[in-house]
Amino acid sequence: MQRRIFGAGAAAAVLGLLAPLAGCGSGAGSDSGTLRLVAAEYGGDKATSSRPFWDRVAKEFTAAHPGTAVEVQLVPWADVDREVSRMVKAGKAPDIALMGSYSDFAADGRLYSADELLSVASEANFLAPLAEAGSIGNTLYGLPWVASSRLLFFNEALFKQAGLTTASGAPAAPKTWTELRNAAKALKGKGVKFPYAMPLGPEEAHAEAMIWELSNGGGYSDSAGNYTLASDRNIETFRWVRDNLVGPGLTGPVAPAQLNRAEAFAAFLRGEVGMLNGYPSLAHEARARGIGVGAVAMPVSDTLASGETPPTVGVADWIMAFRQNGKRAGIAQFLEFLYQDKNLTEFAGRYHLLPSTVSATRTPAGAIDDNDQQFLTALRGAQLYPVNDPAWVEVSDTIKRNIGRAVEPGRDPKTVLEEIAAKTHQARKEN
C-alpha cells in the first residue's frame, strides 16, 4: 500500500476505532445529515494524535452549517488504504477519505471530481506539482492535503570531524555523486557507522530509488506517463551506486535491501549517520536532540554536473470524495471549510509538513519556518510518484520489494530492473 509522509510510528489500534466527534450523529449512515470521513492517523500516540484537530474542525463546521455533522474514523497509516478499499468493496464507502492513494477509485468512477466540489478559486489554489499528481487526464480527483519534499541531510558535526569543511570551516555539502562518495569515504575513515544510509528495504525503497534516478536524469516514467524503470539512465544509476557506495562498504553495516526508512532515521537521530535523504519532520526532531543538520538538494551525477538541475522527489497525501452516498453538497461545503488556510496550516505545522495550497504557504500564520522554506522551494519544482496511475499501488509494492537487489555486489542491476519492468507491464494490463 501507499506510504505515508509523516515518519512517526503507527498509532495504537484504539485510535482506529470509530469515534463520533462532538455534535455528530451516533451511527454511521444513520443520519442523512452526517458525513463520514475516514482519515489516516498521523500521530504515533495519544499526545500526537490527529484527533484534537478533527474534533475542532467538526465542531466549528457543524456550528457554521447546522444540520450537517461529521464523524471521523482514524485508522493507522499501515492500514488505512486497505481499510478504505475493504469498505468500498463491501458497498460501505465513506463520504470522504484521507489516505495515500486515490487513482484506483477514480478509475472505477467512484469519486467526485474537484470541479464538482470546489469553487474555481479553491481548485486553482493547489500547488501545481500536487494538482498535476492528483489529476487523471485533466481532471482533479485526488485533493492534496499535506506534502513534503526530500533533501539530502548531513550531520554537521560528523562532517567537521571528517575534515569535510570549506575554507571558512563550515561543513562542505556534496554537490555531485563523486563528492558524495568522497565524503562517505572520509566519514568511514572516522568510524562513522553509516557514512551514507541507503534505505532500500521494503518500507519505502521506492522513494530512495527515485531520488537517485532523478539525480541522473532518469526516473520512473516519461512525460507521456509511460514507465521507464529499466531505462539506460536508471541502469547506469544503480551500477554506480553498487560500485561506488555499496561495494566499498560506504552504506553502513546493514545491506541497503535490509535497511528500512524508520531504522535509517533512528540511526540518524542517534548520530550514527553521515548522510541520508530526509524530510522536514526528521530535521526538526534531529535539531531538537541537538544534532546540527545541513540540508541540500540531492547531489547529481557527474554527467549532469554541467548545470542541469533535476527535480527533487515530492510526496503528498490525498483527500477524496466518494459518490456512493450521494452527499455531494454536504461534502463540498465541508471541503471548502476544511481547506481554509487556518485549518491547513495548523495540521501541517503539527507534523512539520507542508500545506498543499498557495495561500496557506503565504499566510503570516502559516506553519512554514525558515528551516522548512527550502523544502517548500523544492516542492514547487518537485516530481511526485505516478500516483495517478491506477496500477501504482501494485507497481510501488513491486519496486519496494525488489529494487534493493539492484545494488547488491555481484548482481547486474539491468536484470533486476528488467524484472521489475516486466511485472509493472503486467500490473498495468490488469488495471
Side-chain angles (χ1 to χ4, degrees), residues 129-167:
L130 306 183
E132 181 179 349
S135 299
I136 297 178
N138 294 318
T139 303
L140 181 64
Y141 291 100
L143 311 183
W145 177 235
V146 286
S148 184
S149 60
R150 301 297 174 90
L151 295 174
L152 180 76
F153 288 10
F154 58 93
N155 184 309
E156 294 178 332
L158 294 180
F159 262 54
K160 290 180 180 179
Q161 291 171 18
L164 299 166
T165 58
T166 64

Side-chain angles (χ1 to χ4, degrees), residues 59-186:
K59 182 178 181 180
E60 292 180 3
F61 174 76
T62 299
H65 301 84
T68 304
V70 183
E71 284 183 347
V72 176
Q73 178 180 355
L74 295 182
V75 180
W77 260 110
D79 304 323
V80 66
D81 283 33
R82 181 173 59 251
E83 179 63 13
V84 172
S85 294
R86 183 194 63 78
M87 293 177 180
V88 171
K89 290 178 181 178
K92 299 179 180 179
D95 299 302
I96 306 167
L98 166 57
M99 50 192 282
S101 61
Y102 71 89
S103 56
D104 48 347
F105 299 128
D108 290 340
R110 298 182 182 276
L111 302 181
Y112 288 114
S113 59
D115 58 8
E116 295 177 282
L117 301 168
L118 302 176
S119 66
V120 173
S122 294
E123 186 175 354
N125 196 23
F126 292 117
L127 293 169
L130 306 183
E132 181 179 349
S135 299
I136 297 178
N138 294 318
T139 303
L140 181 64
Y141 291 100
L143 311 183
W145 177 235
V146 286
S148 184
S149 60
R150 301 297 174 90
L151 295 174
L152 180 76
F153 288 10
F154 58 93
N155 184 309
E156 294 178 332
L158 294 180
F159 262 54
K160 290 180 180 179
Q161 291 171 18
L164 299 166
T165 58
T166 64
S168 65
K175 297 180 180 180
T176 66
W177 284 3
T178 295
E179 290 177 1
L180 185 151
R181 179 195 61 198
N182 292 342
K185 287 181 177 179

Side-chain angles (χ1 to χ4, degrees), residues 10-30:
V14 67
L15 294 175
L17 299 178
L18 183 64
L21 299 174
C24 295
S26 60
S30 62

Side-chain angles (χ1 to χ4, degrees), residues 15 66 71 76 109 214 227 231 236 259 404-406 430:
L15 294 175
E71 284 183 347
L214 290 176
Y227 283 110
S231 69
E236 178 184 85
L259 183 64
R405 296 187 292 117
E430 295 173 353

